Amino acid sequence: MTSLPESIDDTQSLLGEAGYICGRALATVVFLSLKLGRPLFLEGEAGVGKTEIAKALAAALDRPLIRLQCYEGLDAGSAVYEWNFPAQMVAIRTAEAAGGADRAALTKELFSEEFLIRRPLLEAMQPREGGAPVLLIDELDRTDEPFEAFLLEALSDFQVTIPELGTVKATEPPIVILTSNRTREVHDALKRRCLYHWVDYPDFEREMEILQARAPEARETLSREVVAFVQKLRTEDLFKKPGVAETIDWAKCLVALDAIQLSPQVIADTLGAILKYQDDIQKLEGSEAKRILDEAKAEMGPV
């Protein structure tokens, strides 16, 4: 287990060693979250690297990563625990076949640890060697307000109650990262329990650093053209602007095709790596891709 960083610079270096390149502002809020034991709430467009922060932290600190992927209709039961119903039915039938089963004893046995299925929140509160895990609550904005209210209580005391077993409290609170793509506003009461940071698209130089760290096989000339084109593309009127994840994917696709530099034809052939909606892809048909590429190269200047 790696010890927690002792400064902002240590935090920035730690994340960098795990392949996550970030600015000082983000490193500061991550450091404070670790130092104060406060959940970290990250908002931003999809693909800017919010989820990757949790993955990088878990890798850098050598802690388990426990992920709760949020979705519409997610309830406390699915997030905390469930009972292993098929195994319980087998136990009941076995007891009936044996005859003379004590109903009270059987009930106590059925609702014991043996038949408990731990979901992410309960799993994150279990004591373990090597330190508490990193708990990623991903895309919280996909859930509804009742689940937010439950989460507010769970994150306040880092404990949950199982009626049949009692209250389970974390001996060491997990490192909690919450993310939101801001498809809706998350309630202020939950945000107040957390430190907050808006994760924005990186500037040219930062995105180059990220691309060189995540796709080192791409030549520098190609990487610069890719980043310049994607940065220019984000200024266009698109339904879904490409994130950093798409920049990395696109560079890897171009390397796989042995592309040396960008051209309108290469862009047209690989648009599916950076744009995920047909309406956006259609906007770049014809001369549009060449126009954006020419403008990107002009702004980039000589290599």
Side-chain angles (χ1 to χ4, degrees), residues 40-56:
L40 176 57
F41 188 89
L42 302 172
E43 275 192 320
E45 299 293 336
V48 294
K50 302 182 299 296
T51 300
E52 291 300 316
I53 293 176
K55 293 180 180 178

Side-chain angles (χ1 to χ4, degrees), residues 70-71 74 139-145 147-148 184:
C70 297
Y71 55 86
L74 176 65
E139 299 185 327
L140 180 62
D141 52 318
R142 291 180 178 270
T143 63
D144 49 25
E145 291 187 2
F147 182 75
E148 273 188 44
R184 69 170 179 85

Side-chain angles (χ1 to χ4, degrees), residues 266-286:
V266 168
I267 293 170
D269 291 343
T270 56
L271 274 178
I274 48 173
L275 298 176
K276 308 301 180 181
Y277 289 89
Q278 180 59 22
D279 290 347
D280 289 343
I281 291 175
Q282 287 179 338
K283 288 181 181 179
L284 263 70
E285 291 180 345

Side-chain angles (χ1 to χ4, degrees), residues 200-264:
D200 209 346
Y201 296 114
D203 60 20
F204 181 88
E205 294 303 327
R206 182 75 64 194
E207 195 158 9
M208 271 296 295
E209 287 184 59
I210 294 169
L211 188 55
Q212 288 170 343
R214 301 299 295 273
E217 64 275 16
R219 294 183 180 180
E220 183 175 356
T221 302
L222 179 62
S223 295
R224 291 180 63 84
E225 289 185 355
V226 164
V227 172
F229 184 88
V230 172
Q231 296 246 331
K232 189 64 182 176
L233 193 58
R234 291 184 187 132
T235 67
E236 300 293 315
D237 183 21
L238 299 174
F239 181 75
K240 171 63 178 70
K241 300 181 191 299
V244 180
E246 282 74 32
T247 304
I248 296 168
D249 286 346
W250 192 30
K252 290 181 177 179
C253 289
L254 294 171
V255 169
L257 293 173
D258 296 323
I260 300 174
Q261 63 182 18
L262 290 183
S263 67

